């Protein structure tokens, strides 16, 4: 398992949003940074989807975020996402599961999620497809790629992605939308950028060789500390939590092993 000294870890100060006005301000600030990052590399800001991530955020504050304009939310842990989906069923919210899936939780994801962004095994694909077929539903999926080569991280090695994508047409309830990755957690922006560049290069190669494998060929990459770099490297979806909701009390390592 890799480790980093405190000097290498990025430091961010995200104040907690406690009212609708706070959320409106934070969302506008994030969208402003998305626009500037896109414009720096000649992209249209509308090409980048903002996925607010509400992990660890209590339901009363999520309601405030929805009032401020959030209409889709990402969650890492299936149980937490399922609980929130049920408790907030009166809201018009689309739920995205963005963390690793244990196959015994496939039924839960099939019941409520609109999207799963961390597909990295045929076993998980088969479990999801079986549950979705039984429920008469389909699901958008992104294939997770381990672009940092960190052994503690989930995701397929880049060299295994093409073969995996070729198995997915067998699972007709899954709609492949693109690739997802987590960059190395570091204040070294060039190391972070390299992870995003690696995913974009992989996507481009796969799209050139067999465009049908990747659906929309999206790139989900970038979180609160690095989404601007991700956009410069081609992200079409950024997963932003703390910059919208505020700093979490639970450390990132609770959700991303090894951080």
């Amino acid at each position: 398992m890799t480790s980093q000294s405190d000097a290498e870890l990025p430091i961010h100060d995200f104040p907690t949003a406690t009212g609708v006005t706070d959320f409106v301000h934070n969302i506008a600030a994030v969208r402003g940074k998305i626009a500037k990052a896109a414009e720096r590399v000649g992209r249209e800001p509308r090409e980048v989807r903002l996925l607010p991530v509400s992990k660890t955020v209590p339901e009363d504050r999520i309601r405030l975020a929805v009032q401020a304009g959030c209409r889709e939310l990402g969650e890492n842990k299936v149980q937490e996402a399922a609980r929130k989906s049920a408790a907030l069923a009166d809201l018009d919210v689309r739920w995205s599961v963005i963390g690793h899936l244990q196959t015994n939780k496939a039924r839960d994801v099939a019941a409520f999620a609109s999207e799963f962004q961390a597909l990295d095994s045929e076993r998980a694909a088969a479990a999801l497809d079986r549950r979705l077929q039984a429920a008469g539903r389909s699901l958008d999926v992104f294939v997770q790629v381990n672009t940092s080569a960190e052994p503690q991280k989930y995701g397929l090695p880049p060299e295994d992605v093409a073969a995996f994508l070729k198995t997915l047409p067998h699972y007709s309830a899954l709609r492949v939308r693109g690739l997802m990755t987590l960059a190395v957690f570091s204040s070294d922006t060039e190391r972070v950028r390299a992870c995003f560049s690696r995913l974009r290069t992989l996507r481009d190669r796969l799209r050139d060789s067999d465009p049908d494998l990747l659906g929309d060929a999206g790139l989900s990459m970038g979180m609160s500390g690095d989404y601007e770099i991700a956009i410069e490297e081609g992200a079409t979806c950024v997963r932003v939590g703390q910059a919208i909701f505020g700093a979490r009390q639970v450390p990132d390592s609770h959700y991303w092993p090894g951080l």
Side-chain angles (χ1 to χ4, degrees), residues 11-22:
I11 299 172
H12 303 289
D13 181 20
F14 299 114
T16 300
T18 58
V20 174
T21 301
D22 294 336

Side-chain angles (χ1 to χ4, degrees), residues 177-233:
R177 296 305 193 199
L179 306 176
M180 182 273 260
T181 199
L182 299 166
V184 63
F185 190 62
S186 172
S187 59
D188 184 340
T189 58
E190 291 312 305
R191 292 180 64 205
V192 172
R193 187 180 297 277
C195 294
F196 298 144
S197 175
R198 199 166 292 128
L199 193 72
R200 186 195 68 240
T201 299
L202 174 64
R203 188 275 311 271
D204 292 349
R205 188 170 68 246
L206 292 168
R207 187 170 54 183
D208 289 344
S209 63
D210 192 344
D212 293 335
L213 291 178
L214 276 175
D216 301 330
L219 294 176
S220 177
M221 56 189 194
M223 300 190 295
S224 287
D226 56 21
Y227 67 90
E228 293 172 84
I229 301 171
I231 291 166
E232 292 172 352
E233 293 300 325

